Amino acid sequence: MNATALLSMLLAAPSSGNQGFDLGRMMAIIIAAIFVNNFVLSRFLGICPFIGVSRQLDSAVGMGAAVIFVMTLATIGSWSVYNLLLVPMNLGYLKTIAFILIIASLVQFVEMILQKFSPSLYRALGIFLPLITTNCAILGVAVLNIDEKYSLGYSLVHAIAAGIGFTLALILMAGLRQRLELANVPPALRGKPMAFLIAGIMSIAFLGFAGLGG
Amino acid sequence: MNAGLILLKVLVSQDSLGDAIVNPVIVLGAMGLFLGLGLAFAAYKLAVPKDPLVEKISALLPGVNCGGCGYAGCNQFAEAVAKGIAPPGGCVAASDSINAKIAEAVGVELSDSVKLAALVHCNGGHSARDEFEYHGPPDCVSATLIMDGQKTCSYGCLGFGDCVEVCLFDAIVIGENGIPIVDRNACTGCGKCVEICPKNIIELWPVDREVVVACASLDKGAFARKACTMACIGCRKCVKVCPVEAITVEDFLARIDPDKCINCGLCAVECPTGAILDTAPARPKAYIDGSCIGCTLCTKACPVDAIHGELKEKHEVDSEKCVGCGLCVSKCPKNSIRMIGAKSYQHGQEFRV
């Protein structure tokens, strides 16, 4: 396989040539991933960090950035392995276990690289990276890319948009919870119960985006 | 036929079912092997060398990341100690023996330093009048946002216990009079409460200075007195009585200089409002032994006229009157006076006069 063929394969859709790279579809993917099918609030993926790391705005932003980062890398890894290794060998059904393997080692690897070459970024993202290793949102984005038959370009767009959607949900939640600290919440609902109630109401609010774009 | 036999047959025969098992095993196994080796290689290549000294110090530290040392966490402190930037005894949460171990690990002598503990400069509580009824969120920071809090005195403690919440060591409780009480043994002097207090009335104070000003009001005497019965009114009685000039009054508030204070407690006796507290658990009493020559120097030194006796005869201490200030001890030319009674005082405590 020469370089040109590989490149055209990466940019075109894996299964057919009917998906060009058009801006309208890209916007639809972005809007859909951020709002309509928000990973946290309508797909219910990544609830654990959504509840766990949403107490402070700073850490919410840090977690969000780390998720966007890892989602993008995981997409590159998982898409390549699926389309260049698993599909040619007729092993598409192994994608879940293969993706888990890839994501887990990728996060470890990224953590090492950060620690070595960018201690400041490591200090900012470092505590969140192990949390992300087994995060279902990352696996979700990898599997969805395959299910939707996105090309690598679309997959990357989808991954970044999904990460932004996750960050948005996390930041909104953190802002609400910081305000909640000052509110007079009944003792029985303090902490997690109230967070779940709010998550539910936010989810209903995000349902309003249904039908927009994709 | 058992399962093992089936598997063996399938593996041996090169039909499509064999491929369906062998291929995934090979692919996944190869992926796992490749990624595992890659990670192992990366871990070897990208290893960040850690100073064994840092790890040794980290292991000794309490690991609660209280920040009392001035660094972000225990690890950062350990790094600073290893580099020689921070003093090995800088951890306020560790006991003396642990600090000594850290110093030993670094190879430095531990310098003598007196432990600091939180001190609340207010004793108002329920004695301080409320200006209005406050119904907001029950914490000091929120209460301060509304007209500087519900107390008439705008300097004093609001008593919602933000300091209690923030204390990592359970060293602070709100006492019966609505004022935080610091357990000076449990307190590590990390300074979290100092930071959170919106009234800025908590200070880190050497634990061995037991006479303290429990007021922060800068109001004029009359105002301060109206707002709180325990307020310092700036009358300067303490300044006059202090034998070592450790007290100054500025802006109608007495301040004790902990470096000069000798714990005599006379100011606490003199204070008309109770703004100066003597927190010593028990006061010793002066005792004059048989070697007294009756020079009367101690009689003149005693601020509360507790010593009496004729010239050239053995003097006696009226233990009812004696406040245990220890001023007479240093005045006696024959070293006949000792402070007895309170063990905590005799134990290694010298009066620095």
Side-chain angles (χ1 to χ4, degrees):
Chain A
M1 197 184 292
N2 62 31
T4 334
L6 187 69
L7 195 69
S8 62
M9 184 180 168
L10 291 180
L11 286 176
S15 56
S16 60
N18 62 2
Q19 287 180 341
F21 200 75
D22 70 292
L23 203 66
R25 184 162 154 75
M26 207 171 82
M27 286 310 289
I29 290 176
I30 292 175
I31 300 284
I34 297 182
F35 296 110
V36 186
N37 293 324
N38 186 292
F39 262 59
V40 177
L41 296 171
S42 59
R43 289 197 202 270
F44 305 114
L45 293 170
I47 297 290
C48 166
F50 178 63
I51 298 295
V53 201
S54 62
R55 292 192 62 143
Q56 295 286 326
L57 209 51
D58 309 352
S59 48
V61 174
M63 180 73 187
V67 165
I68 295 176
F69 187 58
V70 175
M71 267 186 179
T72 315
L73 287 178
T75 296
I76 299 175
S78 61
W79 192 94
S80 312
V81 165
Y82 182 79
N83 284 303
L84 300 181
L85 183 66
L86 296 184
V87 170
M89 296 198 69
N90 281 327
L91 294 173
Y93 58 89
L94 281 180
K95 62 174 187 256
T96 310
I97 191 163
F99 289 177
I100 290 176
L101 201 61
I102 293 163
I103 292 167
S105 24
L106 193 72
V107 175
Q108 298 279 313
F109 189 63
V110 166
E111 197 177 345
M112 281 182 217
I113 295 215
L114 282 186
Q115 196 174 8
K116 178 83 178 175
F117 294 110
S118 174
S120 55
L121 194 63
Y122 175 74
R123 242 170 265 139
L125 298 184
I127 33 170
F128 304 115
L129 284 173
L131 284 177
I132 297 170
T133 315
T134 50
N135 191 323
C136 54
I138 313 286
L139 185 63
V141 91
V143 171
L144 280 169
N145 285 334
I146 304 305
D147 287 353
E148 300 278 343
K149 297 191 170 55
Y150 288 143
S151 67
L152 183 59
Y154 283 139
S155 292
L156 283 179
V157 169
H158 178 234
I160 294 171
I164 292 172
F166 178 88
T167 311
L168 177 74
L170 212 62
I171 289 174
L172 287 178
M173 188 66 174
L176 283 172
R177 285 183 78 172
Q178 279 194 346
R179 289 199 168 195
L180 211 63
E181 294 277 306
L182 294 175
N184 209 354
V185 180
L189 289 178
R190 264 175 211 160
K192 293 273 181 320
M194 201 63 201
F196 277 118
L197 280 179
I198 289 174
I201 295 169
M202 281 172 75
S203 177
I204 295 173
F206 267 70
L207 269 184
F209 290 117
L212 199 116
Chain B
M1 213 184 287
N2 59 31
L5 253 168
I6 297 178
L7 192 67
L8 196 68
K9 270 199 163 179
V10 163
L11 285 179
V12 169
S13 65
Q14 285 296 309
D15 58 5
S16 61
L17 193 60
D19 279 354
I21 292 180
V22 174
N23 276 354
V25 168
I26 291 174
V27 168
L28 270 188
M31 263 177 71
L33 194 68
F34 175 72
L35 290 172
L37 284 178
L39 277 184
F41 181 70
Y44 174 72
K45 265 289 179 199
L46 299 174
V48 177
K50 275 189 184 158
D51 193 343
L53 185 60
V54 172
E55 281 177 16
K56 197 173 173 189
I57 298 170
S58 287
L60 285 168
L61 290 170
V64 287
N65 295 322
C66 71
C69 50
Y71 291 87
C74 292
N75 263 329
Q76 284 73 18
F77 173 70
E79 278 167 21
V81 171
K83 276 184 198 154
I85 305 168
C91 177
V92 291
S95 64
D96 289 348
S97 60
I98 287 180
N99 277 335
K101 271 185 197 164
I102 295 171
E104 195 188 311
V106 188
V108 186
E109 282 283 311
L110 199 58
S111 64
D112 269 352
S113 64
V114 176
K115 193 182 122 179
L116 298 177
L119 166 69
V120 183
H121 281 296
C122 179
N123 196 28
H126 301 321
S127 317
R129 226 158 47 90
D130 281 353
E131 186 78 5
F132 57 90
E133 235 176 90
Y134 170 73
H135 284 293
D139 60 272
C140 307
V141 174
S142 306
T144 312
L145 295 176
I146 298 169
M147 292 175 67
D148 264 350
Q150 79 278 23
K151 299 277 184 201
T152 307
C153 169
S154 62
Y155 301 95
C157 173
L158 299 174
F160 291 109
D162 284 15
C163 45
V164 179
E165 291 270 317
V166 82
C167 183
L168 292 167
F169 305 96
D170 295 330
I172 311 183
V173 286
I174 296 290
E176 276 178 14
N177 63 346
I179 286 291
I181 298 172
V182 180
D183 179 345
R184 301 180 123 207
N185 290 321
C187 176
T188 62
C190 73
K192 284 244 186 274
C193 48
V194 178
E195 269 170 45
I196 194 106
C197 180
K199 293 292 186 185
N200 291 324
I201 52 173
I202 307 183
E203 188 190 351
L204 293 179
W205 187 262
V207 276
D208 62 350
R209 300 297 100 182
E210 288 162 318
V211 185
V212 297
V213 178
C215 182
S217 170
L218 301 181
D219 282 335
K220 270 189 177 177
F223 279 113
R225 192 63 195 261
K226 264 182 202 163
C228 175
T229 54
M230 309 293 267
C232 174
I233 51 175
C235 67
R236 290 172 195 273
K237 271 190 166 177
C238 47
V239 179
K240 281 168 203 152
V241 80
C242 181
V244 289
E245 293 174 358
I247 308 183
T248 49
V249 173
E250 262 174 63
D251 297 330
F252 311 100
L253 178 64
R255 286 187 183 82
I256 296 178
D257 181 350
D259 291 335
K260 289 183 185 165
C261 175
I262 55 165
N263 273 341
C264 72
L266 288 173
C267 46
V269 175
E270 279 298 316
C271 182
T273 60
I276 301 183
L277 294 181
D278 183 357
T279 61
R283 281 278 171 192
K285 302 288 178 192
Y287 171 76
I288 305 175
D289 63 25
S291 62
C292 173
I293 53 167
C295 68
T296 74
L297 278 177
C298 52
T299 321
K300 284 166 193 149
C302 182
V304 289
D305 291 330
I307 306 179
H308 48 84
E310 295 299 313
L311 190 65
K312 292 191 177 171
E313 274 174 34
K314 183 176 174 295
H315 282 47
E316 296 289 339
V317 177
D318 183 346
S319 55
E320 292 285 307
K321 284 184 182 172
C322 177
V323 292
C325 68
L327 288 177
C328 47
V329 176
S330 59
K331 288 283 189 289
C332 181
K334 301 299 264 183
N335 286 332
S336 322
I337 309 181
R338 276 175 295 153
M339 306 302 293
I340 57 167
K343 274 196 173 151
S344 68
Y345 261 79
Q346 293 177 341
H347 184 67
Q349 184 113 17
E350 299 286 332
F351 286 102
R352 298 180 292 165
V353 181

